[in-house]
Amino acid sequence: MKPLNSVGIAWAGRAWIAPGMAVFRGSVGAHDWHQHLAHQITVGLKGAVEVETPARSLRGRALVIPAGMRHRLSGGAVLSIYVDALAPEATALRLRPHQPALALDLDLARQLLVLANTDDLATVQGILRSDPPPAADNRLQAVVRELRACRGETNRHSLAAIVHVSPERFSHWFVEQTGLPLRSYLKWVRLIETLRHLAAGGTLTEAAHLGGFSDSAHLSRTFRAMLGGSPANLLRQVALSGAID
């Protein structure tokens, strides 16, 4: 199938990157089918947006694309918020990976449009955390803290020790708890870390190594699979902002 957007249209706008969350405000450009490990909330700035998934297409002013859902997006000017599937905001919104795409509550969409036109990601986080999240398993909370601290540079043996199970059992347990394969999730964490280094002014090669990729070609393959295009094509006209803490 052909991409929804013509090959000549580039992504353009600004993106803010932080651990657990990213915000893009600008124009949707050319991209192919992709599947990332964050929940995507997209609001059309001038009209409806449309997401195409293998099961169906959905059109509306504000849409939610759950983590792990293979998709393509069209819609011109948008505000897109990417929430890590293990972040508190995802828990507060009661989102789970691989759910069908759905319409976002319009009141929440209005709040995001009014308040998210800044580089203050804490504002967005506050809106998305407005409802108290359900209690999480203490063991999962410990694993998530370690994943945040190591920024993808870990393995199932180290994580299994935290919850006192075998590495083989841990892989199954992680999927049961999160709906996500550990290996794919770690790759997503490394990709976000690479984007943060790019936002801080690093070159693509430098950022790839600092993010845990073997080389820029390895990064490009992951970038295409998870975001729908190469770093050069998707970021050419997108200004990245962020900080390495």
Side-chain angles (χ1 to χ4, degrees), residues 99-177:
Q99 291 175 324
L102 66 152
L104 180 68
D105 176 78
L106 287 180
D107 181 59
L108 178 56
R110 292 188 191 99
Q111 293 182 61
L112 292 172
L113 285 173
V114 171
L115 298 176
N117 192 20
T118 71
D119 58 1
D120 181 11
L121 294 184
T123 302
V124 180
Q125 291 172 325
I127 294 172
L128 298 181
R129 293 185 191 181
S130 58
D131 292 329
D137 186 314
N138 289 335
R139 296 175 301 167
L140 180 60
Q141 290 179 333
V143 168
V144 171
R145 285 194 296 270
E146 175 62 19
L147 287 167
R148 294 280 180 273
C150 73
R151 295 177 176 174
E153 291 301 302
T154 188
N155 54 57
R156 65 175 183 168
H157 291 78
S158 299
L159 296 172
I162 296 174
V163 296
H164 307 293
V165 298
S166 69
E168 292 75 18
R169 173 58 190 148
F170 179 82
S171 296
H172 294 291
W173 178 85
F174 189 81
V175 173
E176 291 167 359
Q177 293 291 315

Side-chain angles (χ1 to χ4, degrees), residues 68-87:
M69 172 63 67
R70 194 164 179 260
H71 67 280
R72 297 186 296 187
L73 181 73
S74 62
V78 301
L79 172 71
S80 284
I81 301 167
Y82 299 84
V83 180
D84 188 289
L86 303 187

Side-chain angles (χ1 to χ4, degrees), residues 4-5 26-28 42-51 57-63 73-80 103 106 109 113:
L4 292 174
N5 305 97
S27 300
V28 176
T42 294
V43 184
L45 297 179
K46 297 180 180 179
V49 292
E50 183 177 0
V51 61
S57 293
L58 183 65
R59 183 177 177 85
R61 188 61 189 270
L63 304 177
L73 181 73
S74 62
V78 301
L79 172 71
S80 284
L106 287 180
L113 285 173

